[in-house]
Amino acid sequence: MQNSLVERRQKYGWSQQRLADELGVSRQTIISIERGRFDPSLPLAFRLAEVFECRIEELFDPHGDIA
């Protein structure tokens, strides 16, 4: 699943570790999500959307249409 997590995180000026700390997950989890190796659980996806003040659909796209 394609995502715009890297762009959102960089827009906030956050490191992967800062985002991981904010969410209570490991840095490796953030790396795996950003690289598309791991799809987050629905609760984690909602938390990501909350942190970045956007909708889940703005972060994740199962069809690969996020540019």
Side-chain angles (χ1 to χ4, degrees):
M1 176 172 1
Q2 187 173 1
N3 68 73
S4 63
L5 196 54
V6 172
E7 294 83 3
R8 297 275 176 165
R9 181 176 56 74
Q10 290 175 345
K11 180 179 175 184
Y12 276 64
W14 289 3
S15 66
Q16 291 170 330
Q17 187 62 57
R18 166 79 191 274
L19 180 57
D21 292 344
E22 189 76 25
L23 297 168
V25 299
S26 70
R27 180 173 167 263
Q28 187 59 44
T29 296
I30 300 301
I31 291 168
S32 294
I33 294 170
E34 286 184 351
R35 293 183 179 170
R37 294 183 187 157
F38 173 73
D39 292 334
S41 65
L42 195 52
L44 181 53
F46 273 110
R47 279 285 297 131
L48 282 161
E50 181 181 323
V51 165
F52 291 124
E53 300 175 332
C54 66
R55 297 182 342 229
I56 290 175
E57 298 86 8
E58 294 175 72
L59 287 175
F60 299 97
D61 180 11
H63 307 293
D65 295 333
I66 291 178

